[in-house]
Amino acid sequence: MEVSPLLLSLLLLLIPSSAQMPGFVSLDCGGEEIFTDDLGLEWTPDQLNYGETAFIAVSNESRKQYSTVRYFPADPRKYCYTLNVTSRTRYLLRATFLYGNFDTNNAYPKFDISVGATHWSSIVISDANTIEMRELIFLAMRPTVSVCLSNATTGQPFISTLELRQFNGSMYYTEFEQQFYLSVSARINFGADDEAPVRYPDDPFDRIWLSDSVKKANYLVDIAAGTKKVSTKLPIEINSDERPPEKVMQTAVVGTNGTLTYRLNLDGFPGFGWAFTYFAEIEDLAEDESRKFRLVLPGYTELSKAVVNIEENAQGKYRLYEPGYTNLSFPFVLSFKFGKTSDSSRGPLLNAMEINKYLEINDGSQDGGVISSFVSHYSSADWTLEGGDPCLPVPWSWVECNSNPQPRIFGADDDFCIPLLGRKLSSKNITGNIPSDLTKLNGLEELWLDGNSLTGTIPDFTGCVDLKIIHLENNQLTGGLSSFTNLPSLKELYVQNNMLSGTVPSGLLDKVVNMNYTGNVNLRKGKTSGSRTNIIIGTSVGAAVLVIATIVSGLLLRKGRKKCYEHDQLGHPPAQGIHFSKCDAPNESAHCFSYAEIEEATRKFEKKIGSGGFGVVYYGKMKDEKEIAVKVLTSNSYQGKREFSNEVTLLSRIHHRNLVQFLGYCQEDGRSMLIYEFMHNGTLKEHLYGPLTHEQSINWIKRLEIAEDAAKGIEYLHTGCVPAIIHRDLKSSNILIDKHMRAKVSDFGLSKLAVDGASHVSSIVRGTVGYYISQQLTDKSDVYSFGVILLELISGQEAISNENFGVNCRNIVQWAKLHIESGDIQGIIDPSLDGEYDIQSMWKIAEKALMCVQAHGFMRPSMSEVLKEIQDAISMERDAGAVREGNSDISRNSIHSIHSSLNMGSLDLGRNDNFLSIDESVARPTAR
Ligand SMILES: *[C@@H]1O[C@H](CO)[C@@H](O)[C@H](O)[C@H]1NC(C)=O
Ligand SMILES: *[C@@H]1O[C@H](CO)[C@@H](O)[C@H](O)[C@H]1NC(C)=O
Ligand SMILES: *[C@@H]1O[C@H](CO)[C@@H](O)[C@H](O)[C@H]1NC(C)=O
Ligand SMILES: *[C@@H]1O[C@H](CO)[C@@H](O)[C@H](O)[C@H]1NC(C)=O
Ligand SMILES: *[C@@H]1O[C@H](CO)[C@@H](O)[C@H](O)[C@H]1NC(C)=O
Ligand SMILES: *[C@@H]1O[C@H](CO)[C@@H](O)[C@H](O)[C@H]1NC(C)=O
């Protein structure tokens, strides 16, 4: 199938010389005229002949560049802008996307953006009126850079603006710049006067310093009490224009209570990154006062050693000091703290910071250079102008690509790609000789150049040992066919209607299955070694199958699907015999029921309502109408009679409104039973993914309340009893729901009833790698289990499943971690919540859940901390719920804030010690 040249989107750009700043290019994609915005930046239309343009309603006239977009078809192509740059120079590249419902489709687009062959980012639109922004710092190595949109998963790829800002000298030099770009993740101006970002002309390079006072989900949250803004009008000695602009340095935040804390999401992370903080003393301290503080990052003890004393470090007031790290491993959710030292009279101060992620550069397909050289012969033909890499991230329309059978050592994600020239070079009006570059394509399997105006002799393709199919018919080629004699894989050779001469080598006639050389007046069949060659009309069914197979295998192989990786989570086996004695209701002994009483209440154990580790549970109703649940213990689950009654006596002392009430026991004829209050609404498990979900799914606020109730019950076990009671088998089927949909924890305090202690440890804890290593079951094992319950509440997924979590992942923890740490919380949220939740409260719980399932107990929070976090989430959710009800359609037509890749969020450092590994040699602050 021939593709119309219009779809062959070639988007080469002629960049008009920029008036205002050398090295600034500001493209207004889809725009129609040159204009200068209120910052003094000159915008030029992108002037492409391809793609379509659309207008969107933008409320603020001063943002004219956002009032148009250019969009492209949702096909398997890439659509590239090619920008001129100066080699050996560093640039900031910025792309923005304001959807504005340009296609009146309301399906928020999702697509990829790449720089050359390197996948830069996935653009996921989640709000029609929010500007998505991506920024990349790179060292130009060639005279052009191409930015390509591709791979629309939803909607159509589009772009609002594309900007290039040239840096000076060694700005943003890194020792890794040949292998890694810097993807901008956070650039924050602390203590900003208002929500407006600081950029050009305050920043001569037009970096955008986002205001810390912007209010949006997951952007700088969990700010310590006592955090105050300070500012000055005095000049700041910055010394160099590569540092933050003076305006940014003139404002700061101060932790008047001794600490500054922030939590944010780092777009693009987890991964390795570059981070700098910028300080300038802008308060006037008295003679006897001092400001000294340390950075505290959970898990990075090494970093906390250095003490910052701005005035000393910067050698004076109103001077810049900029410690930073050029290579640190960061999680997606970063929480950091500056804490004053004990001998410091003032709290910490922070003016600005920048965090960038190292993005590994993909050098492109194996024969990319050869192909580029080939197309350079035809630079005026539109099929040569698609831009970017011939194969990556998706191939040019006339190229088919294969993955290299030999895996690369690094970066298994992006295999080498080998271009195969597809049939799409047929009938392209190609003139001149067949470029000898093509013979350097070692992986070449098919060559389709038929129907052009090629002249001259056929170059020597002997090196292309994989060539299977050659179509050169209908050209004006001269010379002989000798260059094809040594191709071991050749199956199809069509050279009819040329001006070839000489004899057809007999080796070819013997070997090639499909061959046609008619219409070459001077070409004769040579001495054959007997049988006549097959000359078969080139029905290319076989070839087509081959091509399709190639494409498919290329697609499948190119991107290895991400796997949930296994890593340890430590659970701990039980400490034998947990003693609890002093709960808050002493001197109470357990009530003893008679067997007859129980038999009558349960109508001879007629209605089974559950079963668990300790036995089967039956429904019962006492004479006084009180409903009960009778747990008949399996015969081997208790030891001596005396021990049993001791244990139940202790059980009867544990009282809390969020623990299922223990009413008494019964032990007769070798049967042991525990009697509890009956809980009308079954287990949490049933509500989340059991039969009860069909009746009505519980909403997010209800789930939070259930989590709060359960957390209170567990907190009581951990702190209300001495010594603490470890539940050991916390799971959603042990959280019971009463008539009023309040939750209570059940099955607590049964430690001694278990003969085999381990059999009653939650299976998810037991199933984890570390379980057999440690012999200690602590309150932190319950915290782990509770984290799992939080993940179940978010996702509505069972903790362990063979099907739900994808390949190689059976466990909700691995699955959820993978999503949350990569920022994709949507990927795990229970669809039955129907979007009815506040994303911030969701994040809060997700992050806490991840903390709870940290590898090591000491890294997990206490139940009390978890409870507090749940309560915070509840109040957030209530506030947000009120807003949702009061104001369901929030200003559709107004653009809110710039929502950049700086999509800030929440906290939690890494998953285990390894993940947070720091190369000690670079863990010391670097003075740039
Ligand atoms: C971009 O580079 C090409 C190739 O060097 C050149 O022909 C073109 O004029 C350049 N465009 C601009 C605007 O400088
Ligand atoms: C438009 O934006 C500019 C700067 O971004 C701002 O100064 C101005 O107040 C805005 N106008 C309106 C009507 O929002
Ligand atoms: C296109 O996007 C999908 C979903 O995001 C992804 O699975 C696939 O690997 C992408 N394809 C390419 C060629 O990048
Ligand atoms: C922090 O400071 C605020 C006022 O500056 C004060 O109300 C609060 O009690 C302080 N909190 C702590 C923990 O010191
Ligand atoms: C090939 O060239 C001819 C004449 O120059 C032109 O009419 C024709 O449209 C071209 N075909 C293609 C596919 O570009
Ligand atoms: C070879 O090609 C010519 C010209 O296209 C065609 O007429 C002829 O039928 C072909 N011969 C065979 C055997 O396919």
Side-chain angles (χ1 to χ4, degrees):
M1 273 213 308
E2 206 45 83
V3 178
S4 100
L6 217 97
L7 284 178
L8 277 183
S9 41
L10 137 19
L11 316 172
L12 187 76
L13 268 196
L14 293 180
I15 299 151
S17 58
S18 190
Q20 83 283 17
M21 278 296 289
F24 272 32
V25 173
S26 306
L27 293 180
D28 174 16
C29 303
E32 291 179 335
E33 57 186 18
I34 296 178
F35 68 93
T36 301
D37 70 11
D38 53 358
L39 299 174
L41 295 171
E42 186 180 278
W43 292 87
T44 53
D46 58 352
Q47 283 180 330
L48 296 185
N49 295 323
Y50 306 106
E52 311 231 17
T53 64
F55 282 95
I56 54 182
V58 174
S59 60
N60 193 329
E61 271 307 311
S62 74
R63 293 172 145 196
K64 187 169 169 183
Q65 63 271 33
Y66 293 111
S67 64
T68 55
V69 295
R70 182 173 295 277
Y71 64 96
F72 305 102
D75 59 18
R77 296 286 166 68
K78 59 170 175 269
Y79 297 92
C80 302
Y81 285 84
T82 303
L83 306 168
N84 284 358
V85 287
T86 308
S87 277
R88 310 293 320 153
T89 305
R90 288 175 202 85
Y91 287 88
L92 173 66
L93 175 63
R94 177 157 55 224
T96 68
F97 310 86
L98 175 60
Y99 172 53
N101 197 18
F102 69 83
D103 54 3
T104 60
N105 187 3
N106 273 320
Y108 291 160
K110 179 177 175 191
F111 54 91
D112 290 343
I113 183 166
S114 45
V115 176
T118 305
H119 179 259
W120 177 5
S121 184
S122 289
I123 309 300
V124 183
I125 303 299
S126 50
D127 177 343
N129 301 315
T130 297
I131 299 169
E132 282 289 328
M133 179 167 96
R134 295 294 184 275
E135 291 183 309
L136 191 78
I137 293 167
F138 69 98
L139 171 69
M141 315 235 205
R142 302 206 181 94
T144 60
V145 61
S146 57
V147 178
C148 306
L149 308 184
S150 64
N151 195 22
T153 336
T154 325
Q156 289 171 278
F158 73 94
I159 184 163
S160 301
T161 69
L162 192 58
E163 297 160 67
L164 262 185
R165 307 289 182 244
Q166 187 177 337
F167 288 137
N168 266 357
S170 63
M171 267 179 95
Y172 293 100
Y173 160 82
T174 78
E175 59 185 304
F176 316 108
E177 64 186 358
Q178 308 272 350
Q179 294 90 44
F180 293 89
Y181 298 133
L182 284 176
S183 162
V184 178
S185 211
R187 199 193 287 113
I188 305 168
N189 173 20
F190 286 94
D193 296 331
D194 52 40
E195 296 198 357
V198 174
R199 57 182 296 183
Y200 188 81
D202 294 302
D203 187 320
F205 304 102
D206 194 27
R207 288 166 293 181
I208 296 177
W209 298 84
L210 285 190
S211 162
D212 67 338
S213 55
V214 169
K215 299 276 181 302
K216 70 186 179 207
N218 304 312
Y219 177 64
L220 296 179
V221 290
D222 270 10
I223 302 168
T227 300
K228 292 232 166 64
K229 291 181 181 189
V230 294
S231 66
T232 180
K233 291 272 180 272
L234 293 174
I236 311 284
E237 211 174 313
I238 290 165
N239 283 329
S240 154
D241 54 8
E242 69 183 61
R243 310 297 150 81
E246 185 172 72
K247 186 166 176 190
V248 168
M249 295 306 298
Q250 281 172 330
T251 64
V253 284
V254 172
T256 57
N257 282 8
T259 57
L260 281 174
T261 60
Y262 288 95
R263 188 158 63 103
L264 68 165
N265 283 4
L266 291 178
D267 202 61
F269 284 92
F272 284 88
W274 173 108
F276 274 78
T277 42
Y278 303 97
F279 303 108
E281 182 55 77
I282 56 171
E283 284 194 305
D284 292 314
L285 308 191
E287 276 293 306
D288 57 345
E289 286 194 300
S290 65
R291 187 193 309 281
K292 291 197 259 177
F293 54 92
R294 289 189 169 91
L295 168 65
V296 182
L297 280 177
Y300 295 74
T301 43
E302 204 44 42
L303 302 195
S304 307
K305 290 184 183 161
V307 173
V308 178
N309 178 337
I310 304 171
E311 230 184 297
E312 236 167 54
N313 295 129
Q315 296 164 25
K317 286 175 189 299
Y318 304 97
R319 287 172 65 100
L320 173 72
Y321 171 55
E322 41 166 11
Y325 297 94
T326 57
N327 191 14
L328 268 194
S329 161
F330 284 104
F332 171 64
V333 180
L334 175 69
S335 127
F336 63 91
K337 171 172 152 182
F338 289 100
K340 80 175 190 69
T341 60
S342 52
D343 59 344
S344 169
S345 60
R346 294 290 191 107
L349 175 148
L350 174 63
N351 307 65
M353 79 176 199
E354 274 183 286
I355 300 179
N356 300 323
K357 177 174 190 281
Y358 285 110
L359 181 69
E360 190 174 3
I361 299 173
N362 186 326
D363 291 325
S365 32
Q366 184 175 287
D367 289 323
V370 177
I371 295 269
S372 305
S373 159
F374 166 66
V375 301
S376 67
H377 296 288
Y378 312 103
S379 52
S380 58
D382 59 5
W383 57 271
T384 65
L385 299 173
E386 290 183 49
D389 182 87
C391 287
L392 297 171
V394 293
W396 287 340
S397 54
W398 51 275
V399 172
E400 275 139 22
C401 297
N402 213 347
S403 297
N404 192 332
Q406 291 160 346
R408 269 206 300 179
I409 299 165
F410 300 108
D413 244 14
D414 292 298
D415 296 5
F416 270 158
C417 261
I418 305 173
L420 318 169
L421 295 198
R423 63 187 58 201
K424 289 161 187 159
L425 287 183
S426 306
S427 308
K428 291 275 188 229
N429 274 357
I430 304 176
T431 57
N433 295 345
I434 297 178
S436 59
D437 298 315
L438 286 181
T439 65
K440 297 182 204 144
L441 291 170
N442 298 330
L444 195 62
E445 291 181 16
E446 298 183 22
L447 180 65
W448 295 73
L449 288 168
D450 53 295
N452 287 296
S453 309
L454 292 165
T455 52
T457 58
I458 299 170
D460 185 3
F461 279 93
T462 310
C464 304
V465 291
D466 293 326
L467 257 179
K468 295 183 180 68
I469 297 171
I470 296 175
H471 281 258
L472 296 174
E473 66 268 28
N474 305 323
N475 281 291
Q476 286 114 51
L477 295 165
T478 52
L481 286 178
S482 59
S483 81
F484 298 135
T485 39
N486 292 320
L487 294 176
S489 316
L490 192 61
K491 292 285 169 290
E492 196 170 306
L493 176 62
Y494 284 74
V495 292
Q496 68 268 29
N497 302 330
N498 276 289
M499 300 186 307
L500 298 169
S501 55
T503 53
V504 180
S506 57
L508 273 181
L509 293 170
D510 292 343
K511 187 179 59 191
V512 178
V513 183
N514 294 340
M515 186 161 163
N516 190 341
Y517 55 87
T518 59
N520 290 286
V521 186
N522 296 319
L523 186 65
R524 287 173 311 277
K525 186 158 70 160
K527 282 172 272 161
T528 59
S529 53
S531 71
R532 217 191 107 62
T533 317
N534 304 311
I535 299 179
I536 296 172
I537 301 178
T539 90
S540 44
V541 173
V545 168
L546 188 85
V547 169
I548 290 166
T550 304
I551 296 169
V552 169
S553 70
L555 282 179
L556 289 182
L557 291 175
R558 200 168 310 123
K559 276 265 176 225
R561 196 167 314 147
K562 269 223 169 93
K563 289 185 205 117
C564 279
Y565 17 84
E566 305 271 344
H567 45 246
D568 320 10
Q569 301 108 0
L570 281 209
H572 306 289
Q576 291 303 316
I578 291 163
H579 307 278
F580 48 90
S581 45
K582 275 193 265 151
C583 291
D584 57 2
N587 304 325
E588 201 177 308
S589 65
H591 180 76
C592 180
F593 291 84
S594 74
Y595 184 73
E597 228 177 329
I598 298 300
E599 197 176 41
E600 191 191 335
T602 60
R603 298 183 179 208
K604 296 206 161 121
F605 303 96
E606 181 187 63
K607 189 168 160 195
K608 184 175 152 183
I609 53 173
S611 63
F614 298 97
V616 178
V617 185
Y618 297 91
Y619 173 81
K621 197 180 220 174
M622 308 295 290
K623 284 211 182 77
D624 63 358
E625 300 283 295
K626 189 179 180 67
E627 292 171 293
I628 56 171
V630 178
K631 178 173 296 224
V632 181
L633 300 175
T634 43
S635 54
N636 65 350
S637 64
Y638 60 93
Q639 291 157 353
K641 186 168 181 165
R642 192 189 146 89
E643 199 172 336
F644 177 76
S645 63
N646 276 348
E647 187 108 345
V648 296
T649 300
L650 295 173
L651 255 189
S652 65
R653 293 181 184 163
I654 311 173
H655 289 284
H656 187 274
R657 56 183 298 202
N658 296 113
L659 296 174
V660 174
Q661 197 188 353
F662 177 68
L663 301 173
Y665 69 102
C666 168
Q667 193 176 38
E668 272 178 37
D669 304 338
R671 279 166 293 206
S672 308
M673 293 169 231
L674 300 173
I675 321 300
Y676 292 94
E677 69 173 312
F678 174 67
M679 299 284 285
H680 281 85
N681 273 315
T683 70
L684 173 60
K685 177 179 172 158
E686 291 164 320
H687 285 276
L688 286 179
Y689 41 81
L692 296 178
T693 47
H694 301 301
E695 291 168 24
Q696 109 213 80
S697 150
I698 39 177
N699 65 20
W700 181 235
I701 187 80
K702 197 74 239 169
R703 291 183 197 202
L704 288 174
E705 285 164 2
I706 289 170
E708 181 188 20
D709 290 342
K712 281 180 178 165
I714 301 157
E715 187 200 24
Y716 173 78
L717 291 176
H718 289 177
T719 58
C721 303
V722 180
I725 296 170
I726 314 300
H727 188 295
R728 301 200 305 176
D729 194 19
L730 270 181
K731 53 190 180 189
S732 54
S733 57
N734 276 340
I735 312 283
L736 305 185
I737 314 285
D738 73 6
K739 265 186 198 152
H740 312 291
M741 291 300 286
R742 300 309 304 220
K744 300 188 184 192
V745 176
S746 77
D747 262 1
F748 50 88
L750 300 182
S751 59
K752 276 195 172 172
L753 299 180
V755 173
D756 163 20
S759 71
H760 296 111
V761 174
S762 141
S763 55
I764 192 157
V765 172
R766 218 175 332 123
T768 52
V769 182
Y771 174 75
Y772 295 100
I773 300 169
S774 163
Q775 287 300 306
Q776 207 74 52
L777 200 79
T778 68
D779 54 342
K780 292 299 179 71
S781 345
D782 282 352
V783 172
Y784 184 98
S785 306
F786 191 74
V788 171
I789 292 172
L790 290 178
L791 294 175
E792 292 180 57
L793 285 165
I794 292 171
S795 65
Q797 296 283 347
E798 263 177 280
I800 294 182
S801 159
N802 283 332
E803 298 91 40
N804 298 352
F805 305 130
V807 191
N808 290 347
C809 189
R810 295 185 55 234
N811 177 322
I812 197 170
V813 172
Q814 295 166 7
W815 172 75
K817 261 189 178 171
L818 203 64
H819 281 85
I820 297 170
E821 284 172 355
S822 64
D824 174 25
I825 197 174
Q826 302 290 350
I828 62 162
I829 296 176
D830 188 347
S832 70
L833 288 176
D834 239 352
E836 289 290 308
Y837 49 80
D838 172 48
I839 192 72
Q840 269 218 66
S841 71
M842 189 63 84
W843 265 115
K844 213 171 183 47
I845 298 302
E847 285 147 15
K848 214 62 197 177
L850 281 205
M851 292 215 79
C852 292
V853 298
Q854 299 264 46
H856 301 289
F858 71 86
M859 300 168 91
R860 301 174 200 150
S862 68
M863 249 358 261
S864 316
E865 288 169 56
V866 178
L867 175 59
K868 183 186 162 297
E869 210 74 11
I870 294 169
Q871 288 166 335
D872 287 353
I874 288 176
S875 58
M876 271 180 196
E877 183 62 32
R878 290 207 173 112
D879 293 349
V883 171
R884 271 204 301 275
E885 261 137 55
N887 181 7
S888 56
D889 191 280
I890 305 168
S891 55
R892 275 241 146 230
N893 291 318
S894 69
I895 296 168
H896 306 317
S897 54
I898 288 207
H899 171 178
S900 66
S901 46
L902 317 179
N903 157 30
M904 303 302 195
S906 21
L907 134 93
D908 237 44
L909 282 158
R911 47 194 158 210
N912 59 39
D913 294 332
N914 292 337
F915 175 69
L916 292 175
S917 66
I918 306 164
D919 178 353
E920 295 275 317
S921 64
V922 294
R924 260 163 272 117
T926 312
R928 277 199 302 179

